[in-house]
Amino acid sequence: MAGYDGVDAPRQRARAEWFLAHAHLNFGDVPAGDELSATALAAFRTVDDGWGIAAALSSRAKVAMFRGELAAAEHAAADSRRRFVELGDRWGRLLADDMLAHHAEVTGDHATAARLHREDLRIAEDLQLWTDASYRLSGLGRIALLTRDFAAGTELHERALRLATDQGNPFAAEYARVGLGLGARRQGDLDAAEEHLGAALTRNRALQADYGVAYYGVTLLLAELGFVAELRGDAARATALHGEALAAARGVGEPRAVALAVEGLAGAAAVAGHHVRAARLLGAASAGREAVGAALPPAERGDVDRIAATARAALGAAAYAEAFTEGAATRLEDV
């Protein structure tokens, strides 16, 4: 960016700022991506650069999604998509649709998420953007897992992994491998899940050490490995992993990730026999999710329902409900 100092080229400077924001966000560096994309969007509006406005809006949508601001993310992504479609830019549509599909996934609209991924897979294949095609295959694989079609989830993630490997893209390959780990855990293959997820966590920590940010959300990886430990009955390891996930989630300010870590800590508490604590933590996580409009969809309640059943069986329905209600009155920031 220093090359633009003293140069009267606002449109070109804004495009450079946007591209740098895009790169930062792809590595999970939200503060830098936020500042650069906001500056670029303002500049694009000043010079009436339609393509630039559409591009910057896609980045604003990603910033909002990282921060759990779901309504703002959907609005910006939909505006970006409309503009790219009017411009006839199908690559840009892939940018916007990525956030729209993610929004549909986290709000439980799996049919819309799958439709967007299928449409964008065809666009990526038509444009021969094979890395984008790999990500769309993984996206379809994630939806298959959420709808409990585990065979399809495995097949889609394996296709995505082969394509990413052929393209020499380690990030798309890792996204696919993590999907295989998610599927393995949900099918009870804890060894395979730990292998895939543990390797991804090691690589992300190396990235974090090199660049100060983690490309793939370490909070999800820590939480998933924490659930593996809980399912093995290792309360101490589960507590340590979910505690680390909570610290990481608070560091990036992502309320859904915070809630996930708190749910994981509830599972660790239940395994350790602290059932009142487990119920209170579940209550706090539930209230925290509802506060940002991201209540867990039925397809994603497996871990929470399992933990709740353990605590309820130990406490009885009335005592569990009382503890859950107490937890719901506690702010996630105070947990």
Side-chain angles (χ1 to χ4, degrees), residues 226-227 229-236 238-239 242 261-282 303-315 320:
F227 285 125
E230 177 226 320
L231 290 165
R232 285 180 167 151
D234 189 341
T239 299
H242 286 299
V262 172
E263 289 157 358
L265 287 168
V271 168
H274 305 309
H275 302 295
V276 171
R277 175 176 171 79
R280 286 175 176 161
L281 289 169
L282 289 178
D303 292 313
V304 166
D305 288 346
R306 181 188 69 254
I307 297 162
T310 299
R312 191 181 292 109
L315 297 173
Y320 172 84

Side-chain angles (χ1 to χ4, degrees), residues 106-124:
V106 300
T107 55
D109 188 356
H110 300 140
T112 294
R115 175 181 59 77
L116 288 168
H117 285 312
R118 285 194 298 269
E119 292 174 358
D120 291 344
L121 176 60
R122 288 193 292 269
I123 291 173

Side-chain angles (χ1 to χ4, degrees), residues 6 18 26 35 48 81 104 111 134 140-141 219 234 237 241 244 270 273-274 277 282 317-318 323 326:
W18 170 76
N26 279 346
E35 181 179 356
D48 195 25
R81 185 186 201 270
S134 172
L140 286 168
T219 55
D234 189 341
R237 178 165 170 75
L241 286 163
E244 190 177 350
H274 305 309
R277 175 176 171 79
L282 289 178
E326 290 174 356

Side-chain angles (χ1 to χ4, degrees), residues 150-222:
F150 296 124
T154 298
E155 190 269 335
L156 286 161
H157 281 115
E158 287 178 344
R159 283 175 59 192
L161 177 57
R162 288 195 297 271
L163 191 52
T165 302
D166 288 345
Q167 292 298 301
N169 190 304
F171 302 108
E174 177 137 300
Y175 192 63
R177 288 193 188 97
V178 169
L180 291 171
L182 297 175
R185 184 174 80 79
R186 283 149 183 78
Q187 294 176 84
D189 189 347
L190 301 184
D191 289 342
E194 193 163 40
E195 179 181 354
H196 286 300
L197 299 168
L201 181 61
T202 297
R203 287 189 290 270
N204 272 263
R205 282 176 166 159
L207 276 176
Q208 200 162 23
D210 289 341
Y211 301 108
V213 294
Y215 174 76
Y216 194 92
V218 293
T219 55
L220 173 66
L221 297 171
L222 287 164

Side-chain angles (χ1 to χ4, degrees), residues 93-141:
R93 176 179 162 180
L94 294 179
L95 282 183
D97 279 357
D98 187 38
M99 288 298 98
L100 286 173
H102 188 51
H103 178 273
E105 178 183 331
V106 300
T107 55
D109 188 356
H110 300 140
T112 294
R115 175 181 59 77
L116 288 168
H117 285 312
R118 285 194 298 269
E119 292 174 358
D120 291 344
L121 176 60
R122 288 193 292 269
I123 291 173
E125 290 174 337
D126 187 42
L127 296 176
Q128 299 185 43
L129 297 173
W130 303 118
T131 295
D132 285 281
S134 172
Y135 278 119
R136 272 41 185 197
L137 286 167
S138 286
L140 286 168

